[in-house]
Amino acid sequence: MIDVQQALQLVLQRVPARQAARLALAETLGHVLAEEITSDIDSPPHDKALMDGYALRSADFNGANTVLSVIEEVTAGGNPTQAVSQGAATRIMTGAPIPAGADAVVMVEQTTPVDATATASAMDATGGAPSAVRITASQVRAGQNIMRRAASLAKGETVMHAGTLLRPIEVGLLAEVGRDNAAVTPRPRVAVLSTGNELVPVAEVPATGQIRNSNGPMLGALIQRAGGRPCDLGIGRDRRDELQTLVTQGLESDVLVLSGGVSAGVLDLVPSVLESLGVEQVFHKVDLKPGKPVWFGVLPNADGDKLVFGLPGNPVSSLVCFELFVRPAIARLSGRNADQLATRQARLANDHHHRGGRPTFFPARFAVAEGSSPPDGPANVEILAWQGSADLRTLSHANCLACFPKEERSYQAGDLIDVAVLP
Ligand code: AMP
Ligand code: MG
C-alpha cells in the first residue's frame, strides 16, 4: 500500500495546468492573480496634507510668537492658487495639495486664530479661516504632516505580482491603480456526491437505520475554503444506474468528490462505477488511519483532466482525506502556493498509547501555553476522546490533527509530536 506522501505526489502530478480568466473587480476576491499589476498613476498624485491645519514655511517658525497671515483655504479636491511666501500660511485640509513655498503642515489643534472677529472681506478670501493665525506648536519640522507625491506608489511601478492571493486589501489596491478587472486563475468547480442508501437530506428526520447526510455540506464548506466552487449533487443511492447518472453529471466539473462506497462492502460500487465511465484509477487505499479506503482517479479530458476523489463515508475519514489529498489539489488548481495544512510541534497533554500499524491522524486540540512568547511558541495538545470515525461531534472540538507515525509507541505527557493545524 502506498503511503500518504506517495499518494499526495500522485495527486499533485495529475493536477492540470489552468488558463487564466479575466474577472470584473468585484468578482476577484479570493482568487489568485495571474498577471503583473502596474500603476497608471502616482499616489498620492501631489504632495498632500496629512492633517487639517496650516501649510507654512518651517523657516518662519519662531517659537510661540509666530503669527502668520492666512492667504487662502484649500480643501481636499481643491487646488491652491497662491504660493506661501514669508510670513504667510494657507489653511489646508487633509488630502489637499500643499501650496508652493510651504514645506510643513501644523495641525489645527496647535494653532489659535488671531482675529476672532474676522472682517467679511477677509473671510471671503480665506473661506471660513481667520485672516491670521498664531502657531502654538513647540516645534515645526520641515516636511511634517506632508506625504510626498508618489510616496505610496509611482506611475509605471509594479504594485502586485502574479500569484498574489486577492484579499479585500488587494481589491482596494487594484481599484486605486485603475483596474476594474484582473486576470486571475479561475477557482475550480468541484462537484460533491454523497453516496449511501442510509442517507437522508438535512431537512429530514432520519427513520430507523437512516442518518443525515452530514458529509455533503461539510465537503461543500471545505471546498469553498480551499478555493473551489462547490456544486452539490445531493445523495446517490447505492445503485449502479443512479450512481452512473450522477457521476456523469459530476464529471462536468473540474473535480468530483464522492463520499462513501469505496470500502469493501457489497454495496461499495463507487470504484467500479467510476471505471465504467472512463475514470482511470490512480490509487485505491493509502496506508493511513482513518481513511485507508480512499480512491483517486483521473478522467482524461482535452481541456484539462478531471480529478475524481472517492472519500470513505465516515465523516472523520472524509475530513482527514480531504485535508490530505483534496485540499492540495484544489489549492493548486486555484493557483495558490500554500496547498497543505500548516504543521507545528506540540507537547502531549496526556500519556497516549499509539497501537501502530498505520500512520494515524487523530482529531486533537492544541493550545499555546498562556503568556507564551512568541505566540507560536510551545503548545500543549490534547488527543480528543473520540468515538471512532463517525464522531463528528468530538471532531468539532478539534483544531488540529495529531500525527503519529506508523510505529507502535507509548507516548508520555510532555512528548513533542507533530500536529497539522485545521484552518
Ligand atoms: P461507507 O464509506 O459508504 O462504507 O460509509 C462508512 C460509514 O460512513 C457508514 O456508517 C455510513 O453510514 C457513514 N456515512 C456515509 N456517507 C455519509 C454521509 N454523507 N454523511 C454522514 N455519514 C456518512
Ligand atoms: Mg456506503
Side-chain angles (χ1 to χ4, degrees):
M1 213 181 330
I2 58 173
D3 67 24
V4 169
Q5 279 312 316
Q6 289 167 323
L8 177 60
Q9 290 317 313
L10 289 172
V11 169
L12 294 179
Q13 280 164 16
R14 305 309 291 261
V15 174
R18 311 222 61 221
Q19 293 282 323
R22 193 159 289 284
L23 293 188
L25 181 60
E27 308 298 320
T28 57
L29 179 67
H31 290 82
V32 172
L33 197 58
E35 62 171 328
E36 304 284 295
I37 301 292
T38 52
S39 177
D40 70 337
I41 48 154
D42 289 338
S43 179
H46 47 71
D47 293 353
K48 84 171 180 186
L50 294 178
M51 290 282 178
D52 295 327
Y54 290 85
L56 46 74
R57 294 152 40 106
S58 58
D60 286 355
F61 179 68
N62 178 27
N65 299 321
T66 312
V67 174
L68 303 170
S69 60
V70 179
I71 54 175
E72 66 175 332
E73 180 176 85
V74 189
T75 53
N79 272 305
T81 61
Q82 300 183 58
V84 172
S85 54
Q86 190 174 2
T90 291
R91 175 82 168 107
I92 197 162
M93 307 302 161
T94 303
I98 302 294
D103 68 351
V105 171
V106 173
M107 62 202 281
V108 70
E109 291 84 349
Q110 296 179 346
T111 68
T112 47
V114 169
D115 60 338
T117 56
T119 63
S121 61
M123 292 279 281
D124 281 350
T126 59
S131 60
V133 66
R134 182 184 305 280
I135 307 301
T136 58
S138 57
Q139 60 161 348
V140 175
R141 282 179 301 101
Q144 75 175 35
N145 299 327
I146 293 176
M147 187 176 184
R148 290 296 170 196
R149 175 177 181 163
S152 173
L153 54 90
K155 182 173 178 173
E157 194 182 336
T158 301
V159 296
M160 262 183 274
H161 294 289
T164 304
L165 178 62
L166 299 176
R167 304 169 300 166
I169 294 167
E170 284 75 26
V171 173
L173 184 53
L174 283 167
E176 186 181 7
V177 300
R179 298 299 304 262
D180 62 2
N181 65 76
V184 299
T185 304
R187 296 164 61 203
R189 272 178 69 82
V190 184
V192 177
L193 176 57
S194 308
T195 74
N197 288 335
E198 72 279 33
L199 302 180
V200 296
V202 179
E204 283 181 28
V205 178
T208 312
Q210 297 182 323
I211 58 169
R212 290 201 175 99
N213 171 22
S214 52
N215 283 348
M218 178 176 75
L219 289 167
L222 285 164
I223 288 162
Q224 212 167 333
R225 215 173 30 184
R229 286 182 300 141
C231 160
D232 189 8
L233 298 175
I235 296 168
R237 310 280 137 213
D238 296 314
R239 290 178 37 182
R240 210 165 275 284
D241 52 350
E242 183 168 335
L243 290 178
Q244 267 166 346
T245 305
L246 288 166
V247 166
T248 303
Q249 236 176 295
L251 289 171
E252 285 168 21
S253 295
D254 302 302
V255 181
L256 169 60
V257 177
L258 298 107
S259 96
V262 289
S263 306
V266 290
L267 290 181
D268 289 334
L269 306 173
V270 166
S272 62
V273 165
L274 289 170
E275 285 174 84
S276 75
L277 293 170
V279 184
E280 297 165 4
Q281 176 183 313
V282 176
F283 61 74
H284 188 190
K285 294 194 174 67
V286 174
D287 193 18
L288 159 72
K289 183 180 172 184
K292 175 172 134 186
V294 61
W295 192 98
F296 171 65
V298 172
L299 178 70
N301 180 61
D303 299 329
D305 294 352
K306 315 276 188 171
L307 308 181
V308 182
F309 295 89
L311 310 184
N314 265 313
V316 182
S317 315
S318 270
L319 177 108
V320 168
C321 290
F322 183 94
E323 296 294 3
L324 294 178
F325 308 118
V326 188
R327 167 188 301 285
I330 293 177
R332 284 274 173 106
L333 284 167
S334 313
R336 298 188 184 188
N337 303 321
D339 54 12
Q340 289 177 53
L341 294 184
T343 56
R344 56 171 296 154
Q345 289 207 309
R347 293 192 185 284
L348 273 173
N350 314 94
D351 294 349
H352 178 77
H353 182 73
H354 174 50
R355 267 190 294 149
R358 279 181 274 157
T360 300
F361 296 81
F362 267 133
R365 183 164 190 88
F366 79 96
V368 175
E370 194 135 350
S372 155
S373 158
D376 60 351
N380 290 325
V381 58
E382 176 196 354
I383 309 299
L384 299 175
W386 62 323
Q387 307 296 311
S389 297
D391 187 4
L392 202 50
R393 196 272 172 90
T394 298
L395 187 61
S396 76
H397 299 300
N399 60 7
C400 67
L401 300 171
C403 314
F404 296 102
K406 77 192 296 170
E407 294 72 32
E408 177 172 5
R409 180 175 154 190
S410 282
Y411 291 83
Q412 260 75 114
D415 284 349
L416 270 179
I417 62 164
D418 288 331
V419 304
V421 180
L422 293 171

